[in-house]
């Protein structure tokens, strides 16, 4: 049996691995920019979708369905992002006789609309954050936007109805900033999700973002998992996730799990999904939204429970019954932390830094997992999300996991691009991080206070090492380039060739 | 051979001598001098440097200290050196390059806003002739699905906008001139 993976990057690689472990053949798809991407090289077969622009490649439902048909794939895994939460895609797969590895089109539609999902949560008796009932379409008059915003009160969040990953979301502190925030949120949402509708939600003070992973099968069983804490966020985008939460009380964990399962049952949810909550200082919690897909941060749940979520996605899609012990899913066996490694320059306000990966050394050893989507020699495109990889470490305690993270980050080398690795090296040494004193606003606040100060400052000894390295690099280049006086050894030739390539 | 290496404005002069083995599979003697104080005594360092898959492996002869680093050279002489806990940008022969270069119009008060990364111009927020405040957004460039508002550090008047909405831009491409 074959699975078509309708995605790219690290998640396509992750899914191919899961498929292969269960004995499925894998079909990758790629755009012009991704011909030599790891997911293409790893799959059993790969088919071209079109130009680099996502809407001409990874968002082309017609082409994806056609490739699935032509290759004889019987399952389609959407990953996250792109078409993962697009009910038309799920429906198109069903219409073509393909099994979509995810929930029903109806569940995607219902829970994908953030406003409708809130209604579901209210019906299931789960508390929600105060906000607007119906979404605002593109033609909603400014006066209505202002009236509704004032009814909810500031500060508030403008959120894309189809949004995710911090895209199409803006925080508004006062009425004067509302309309321009709505414009940017719409413009971002339109280009990222093809839907410009937005809604408003009250912004809670000092909240933590805590979410519950769950699996549902076609026979009515829903299994909630131990929570993930994702409060370290930059501009509403998760940067670090960990499981279990370092602060959640065990009784609240059980209540969250129970509420999450109730929401899922309310809509007859199948396959993998995540219910996100905001939790305040008193550990009151509010339903935020549901993600009807596999999450970026799913590995930490796999590590602390020992349950492979991608395996279960594939098994559930084929009609299998969930046989996971609910107790096991709710009992963490370790503490796991994930860092999202982005091609961004942390010392330049996290500006995107696409380009050629000239070298890559991936951390390894005890308690380390690396889910990556790039290889040395691959040109990171400007067209897609800038996440290169996820670095996950775990230990018996949070302290052990944090120590491992520091060790693994020091081993990590991504050559040729600026990445967020130095930022994480700074983060793991912050007392607030070490002592788990943070909420969803912590990182943005700290970054503002730092005013662009570099995350890791070199010592005098570091500077000396850098001087030596740069001088030696220049020396080798001078010698490699001098025709007729080659230096000996294969290493020298490789070096000269590489240095030549850099000029 | 001697190179001038500059880190954060601090210039050193490094002389390198290949003293054992041949080429990169050999040993080097380096003497590092502060360019501001060339007469000061400088003790030479002996080390063994070898290329690796990501850069260089250094072993210092006196202490045995091992440094595994990555190095990326840019065409303008910038070397991005990634050490285990920190990254440092070192410029090789920067003064020479600047002396020989065309020289940027910096003293005139003109500010040229270049694209810091490749992307697409989503919106222009100003037009020629507009007065702008320091760090006021001049245009929005989308890269990697995020919209980035770009600005200049000082106030001024927009003299020229070199790009149009919807246009793709390369890193380093001129976007706006503010005078």
């Amino acid at each position: 049996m074959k699975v078509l993976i309708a995605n790219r990057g690290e998640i396509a690689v992750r899914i191919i691995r899961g498929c292969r472990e269960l004995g499925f053949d894998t079909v990758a798809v790629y755009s012009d920019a991704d011909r030599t991407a790891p997911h293409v090289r790893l799959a059993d077969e790969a088919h071209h979708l079109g130009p680099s622009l996502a809407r001409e490649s990874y968002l082309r439902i017609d082409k994806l369905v056609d490739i699935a048909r032509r290759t004889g794939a019987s399952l389609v895994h959407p990953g996250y992002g792109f078409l993962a939460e697009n009910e038309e895609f799920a429906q198109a797969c069903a219409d073509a006789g393909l099994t979509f590895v995810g929930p029903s089109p109806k569940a995607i539609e219902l829970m994908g609309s953030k406003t409708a999902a809130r209604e579901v949560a209210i019906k299931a008796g789960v508390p929600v954050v105060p906000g607007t009932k119906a979404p605002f379409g593109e033609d909603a008059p400014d006066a209505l936007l202002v009236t509704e915003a004032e009814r909810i009160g500031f500060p508030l969040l403008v959120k894309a109805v189809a949004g995710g990953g911090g895209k199409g979301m803006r925080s508004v502190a006062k009425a004067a900033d509302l309309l321009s925030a709505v414009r940017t949120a719409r413009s971002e949402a339109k280009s990222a999700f093809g839907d410009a509708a937005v809604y408003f939600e009250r912004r809670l003070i000092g909240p933590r973002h805590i979410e519950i992973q769950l699996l549902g099968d076609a026979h009515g069983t829903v299994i909630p998992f131990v929570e993930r804490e994702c409060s370290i966020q930059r501009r509403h985008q998760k940067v670090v996730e960990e499981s279990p939460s370092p602060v959640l009380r065990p009784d609240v964990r059980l209540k969250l799990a129970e509420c999450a399962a109730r929401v899922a049952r309310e809509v007859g949810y199948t396959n993998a999904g995540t219910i996100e909550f905001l939790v305040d200082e008193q550990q009151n919690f509010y339903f935020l939204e549901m993600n009807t897909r596999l999450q970026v941060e799913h590995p930490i749940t796999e590590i602390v429970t020992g349950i492979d979520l991608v395996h279960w996605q594939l098994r559930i899609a084929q009609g299998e019954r969930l046989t996971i012990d609910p107790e096991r899913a709710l009992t963490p066996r370790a503490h796991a932390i994930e860092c999202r490694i982005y091609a961004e320059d942390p010392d330049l306000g996290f500006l995107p830094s696409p380009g050629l990966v000239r070298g890559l050394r991936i951390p390894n050893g005890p308690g380390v997992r690396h889910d990556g989507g790039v290889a040395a020699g691959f040109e990171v495109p400007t067209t897609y999300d800038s996440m290169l990889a996820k670095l996950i470490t775990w230990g018996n305690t949070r302290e052990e996991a944090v120590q491992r993270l520091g060790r693994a980050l020091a081993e990590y080398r991504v050559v040729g691009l600026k990445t967020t690795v130095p930022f994480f090296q700074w983060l793991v040494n912050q007392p607030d991080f070490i002592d788990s004193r943070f909420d969803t606003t912590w990182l943005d606040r700290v970054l503002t206070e730092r005013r662009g100060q570099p995350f890791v400052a070199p010592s005098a000894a570091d500077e000396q090492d850098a001087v030596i390295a740069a001088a030696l690099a220049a020396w080798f280049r001078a010698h490699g380039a001098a025709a007729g006086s080659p230096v000996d050894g294969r290493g020298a030739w490789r070096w000269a060739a590489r240095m030549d390539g850099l000029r | 051979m001697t190179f001038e290496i500059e880190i954060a404005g601090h210039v050193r002069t490094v002389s390198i001598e290949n003293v054992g083995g041949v080429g990169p599979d050999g040993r080097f003697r380096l003497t590092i001098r502060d360019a501001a104080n060339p007469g000061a005594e400088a003790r030479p360092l002996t080390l063994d440097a070898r290329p690796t898959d990501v850069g260089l492996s250094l072993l210092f002869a006196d202490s045995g200290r091992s440094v595994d680093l990555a190095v990326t050279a840019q065409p303008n002489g910038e070397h991005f050196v990634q050490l285990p806990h920190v990254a440092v940008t070192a410029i090789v022969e920067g003064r020479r390059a600047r002396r020989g270069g065309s020289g940027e119009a910096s003293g005139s008060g003109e500010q040229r806003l270049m694209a810091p990364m490749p992307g697409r111009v989503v919106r222009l927020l100003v037009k020629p002739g507009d007065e702008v405040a320091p760090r006021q957004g001049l245009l929005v460039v989308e890269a990697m699905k995020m919209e980035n508002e770009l600005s200049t550090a000082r106030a001024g008047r927009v003299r020229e906008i070199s790009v149009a909405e919807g246009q793709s831009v390369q890193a380093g491409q001129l976007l706006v001139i503010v005078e």
Side-chain angles (χ1 to χ4, degrees):
Chain A
M1 282 232 277
K2 273 185 193 176
V3 181
L4 180 137
I5 297 108
N7 215 300
R8 66 179 300 280
E10 70 84 20
I11 195 59
V13 169
R14 164 69 188 97
I15 294 162
I16 290 170
R17 287 174 170 152
C19 290
R20 198 156 277 165
E21 284 161 6
L22 293 188
F24 291 100
D25 287 331
T26 50
V27 181
V29 289
Y30 64 95
S31 70
D32 286 349
D34 278 341
R35 169 61 189 86
T36 60
H39 75 280
V40 173
R41 294 163 61 187
L42 199 62
D44 294 304
E45 47 185 294
H47 298 270
H48 184 239
L49 278 170
S52 304
L53 218 56
R55 66 167 175 272
E56 294 176 48
S57 50
Y58 296 104
L59 293 175
R60 283 287 297 267
I61 294 174
D62 55 340
K63 287 192 178 177
L64 289 161
V65 169
D66 183 53
I67 291 168
R69 272 207 188 111
R70 269 186 2 239
T71 56
S74 45
L75 291 93
V76 174
H77 197 308
Y80 57 69
F82 295 123
L83 294 169
E85 291 174 280
N86 182 312
E87 67 271 13
E88 285 169 39
F89 183 49
Q91 189 60 53
C93 288
D95 293 347
L98 301 161
T99 302
F100 181 78
V101 182
S104 67
K106 199 169 150 276
I108 296 175
E109 185 183 2
L110 194 58
M111 302 314 281
S113 157
K114 297 194 175 182
T115 42
R118 287 165 56 90
E119 295 303 308
V120 171
I122 293 165
K123 240 172 94 190
V126 177
V128 300
V129 182
T132 47
K133 272 199 158 164
F136 303 112
E138 254 176 301
D139 50 355
D142 288 357
L144 175 68
L145 297 176
V146 173
T147 321
E148 281 294 289
E150 268 158 6
R151 188 177 62 79
I152 292 158
F154 294 95
L156 60 72
L157 291 170
V158 179
K159 298 172 96 174
V161 170
K167 274 147 198 144
M169 169 139 79
R170 282 293 180 279
S171 177
V172 184
K174 54 186 195 295
D177 301 336
L178 180 74
L179 294 176
S180 77
V182 168
R183 262 196 305 278
T184 2
R186 274 190 172 147
S187 155
E188 246 176 56
K190 181 103 189 171
S191 76
F193 317 107
D195 180 356
V198 296
Y199 72 106
F200 301 156
E201 198 176 85
R202 167 92 55 82
R203 207 178 79 201
L204 299 179
I205 306 301
R208 286 180 172 251
H209 174 121
I210 295 180
E211 60 185 32
I212 299 286
Q213 169 76 52
L214 53 83
L215 288 173
D217 69 16
H219 312 280
T221 302
V222 172
I223 304 267
F225 285 70
V226 57
E227 80 283 351
R228 295 186 289 247
E229 160 116 34
C230 316
S231 300
I232 306 273
Q233 302 186 0
R234 198 180 74 81
R235 293 207 220 158
H236 308 292
Q237 179 143 24
K238 296 166 188 164
V239 174
V240 176
E241 301 97 345
E242 59 186 296
S243 181
S245 162
V247 298
L248 201 67
R249 295 196 309 264
D251 60 310
V252 184
R253 166 179 303 155
L254 291 181
K255 269 194 249 167
L256 276 180
E258 192 195 302
C259 283
R262 275 215 304 271
V263 172
R265 286 195 192 101
E266 181 76 35
V267 290
Y269 194 83
T270 55
N271 219 287
T274 294
I275 313 265
E276 300 185 334
F277 295 93
L278 289 178
V279 179
D280 71 15
E281 282 172 327
Q282 288 74 44
Q283 306 214 350
N284 299 310
F285 58 84
Y286 306 90
F287 170 89
L288 189 62
E289 60 187 59
M290 180 170 197
N291 293 309
T292 58
R293 54 167 156 87
L294 188 65
Q295 299 267 101
V296 173
E297 58 272 26
H298 75 276
I300 55 176
T301 301
E302 295 186 321
I303 288 164
V304 300
T305 62
I307 295 166
D308 190 306
L309 293 170
V310 173
H311 285 183
W312 273 109
Q313 283 197 290
L314 294 162
R315 292 169 67 175
I316 289 167
Q318 292 180 290
E320 269 192 54
R321 273 174 196 280
L322 273 166
T323 54
I324 297 168
D325 173 9
E327 179 99 19
R328 183 180 167 198
L330 280 172
T331 314
R333 307 182 309 174
H335 194 100
I337 305 182
E338 174 183 280
C339 293
R340 298 189 183 191
I341 310 297
Y342 289 98
E344 292 174 356
D345 186 347
D347 288 338
L348 262 185
F350 293 86
L351 206 64
S353 168
L356 178 66
V357 179
R358 297 185 189 279
L360 187 62
R361 190 175 69 189
I362 293 166
N364 213 320
V368 178
R369 169 171 166 176
H370 183 271
D371 280 22
V374 299
F378 179 66
E379 177 98 29
V380 177
T382 58
T383 333
Y384 313 114
D385 189 88
S386 62
M387 197 173 75
L388 301 174
K390 304 175 311 206
L391 175 63
I392 306 117
T393 62
W394 70 91
N396 291 312
T397 59
R398 184 174 190 272
E399 189 187 8
E400 202 174 285
V402 172
Q403 284 167 346
R404 282 226 165 97
L405 187 55
R407 184 270 289 173
L409 286 164
E411 288 179 15
Y412 211 167
R413 299 281 188 286
V414 183
V415 188
L417 305 178
K418 301 285 172 74
T419 71
T420 47
V421 168
F423 159 75
F424 290 118
Q425 290 185 298
W426 166 84
L427 182 72
V428 296
N429 288 309
Q430 294 312 300
D432 284 349
F433 177 71
I434 292 167
D435 300 338
S436 312
R437 283 190 307 260
F438 48 73
D439 59 39
T440 56
T441 63
W442 178 79
L443 182 56
D444 282 322
R445 217 168 46 235
V446 173
L447 292 180
T448 310
E449 284 162 14
R450 291 176 55 80
R451 304 185 65 90
Q453 191 188 333
F455 283 100
V456 185
S459 65
D462 292 328
E463 283 204 6
Q464 168 132 326
D465 286 347
V467 165
I468 293 168
L472 283 166
W475 188 92
F476 284 130
R477 189 167 52 238
H479 285 74
S485 62
V487 279
D488 264 343
R490 294 209 336 261
W493 284 111
R494 276 205 310 274
W495 173 268
R498 178 160 61 236
M499 295 312 288
D500 258 357
L502 302 187
R503 282 185 296 164
Chain B
M1 288 184 89
T2 303
F3 298 99
E4 256 188 24
I5 313 284
E6 180 182 331
I7 293 175
H10 182 181
V11 180
R12 283 98 160 170
T13 310
V14 184
S15 51
I16 303 185
E17 193 188 343
N18 185 212
V19 291
V22 188
D25 295 331
R27 284 149 63 86
F28 295 86
R29 188 182 294 130
L30 272 77
T31 312
I32 304 174
R33 285 194 172 79
D34 194 328
N37 188 9
E41 195 190 336
R43 199 166 55 89
L45 289 161
T46 308
L47 59 91
D48 182 315
R50 315 253 175 155
T52 64
D53 57 339
V54 293
L56 282 171
S57 165
L58 310 181
L59 287 181
F60 289 84
D62 57 347
S63 59
R65 189 165 68 94
S66 164
V67 182
D68 187 59
L69 56 87
V71 57
T72 317
Q74 303 295 337
N76 59 3
E78 268 185 24
H79 284 58
F80 185 61
V81 181
Q82 290 168 279
L83 300 164
H85 290 279
V86 68
V88 181
T89 299
I91 303 162
V92 178
E93 305 296 351
R95 292 201 295 198
R96 194 172 301 171
R98 278 197 294 274
R99 275 197 298 273
S102 55
E104 282 172 35
S106 51
S108 66
E110 177 186 280
Q111 304 181 83
R112 299 163 76 87
L113 178 64
M114 314 286 198
M117 70 280 175
R120 193 174 61 85
V121 178
V122 188
R123 269 188 307 283
L124 298 174
L125 304 175
V126 291
K127 51 187 190 308
D130 283 2
E131 296 290 339
V132 295
R135 278 178 288 281
Q136 176 184 339
L138 305 183
L139 76 174
V140 179
V141 174
E142 184 196 77
M144 298 177 136
K145 290 165 66 187
M146 291 300 281
E147 298 195 351
N148 306 279
E149 221 175 73
L150 303 180
S151 59
T152 51
R154 284 174 287 136
R157 199 175 59 82
V158 177
R159 194 176 80 197
E160 187 188 317
I161 296 178
S162 312
V163 289
E165 286 188 2
Q167 186 182 333
S168 289
V169 293
Q170 295 304 311
Q173 185 173 337
L174 178 66
L175 304 174
V176 178
I177 301 177
V178 174
E179 60 186 10

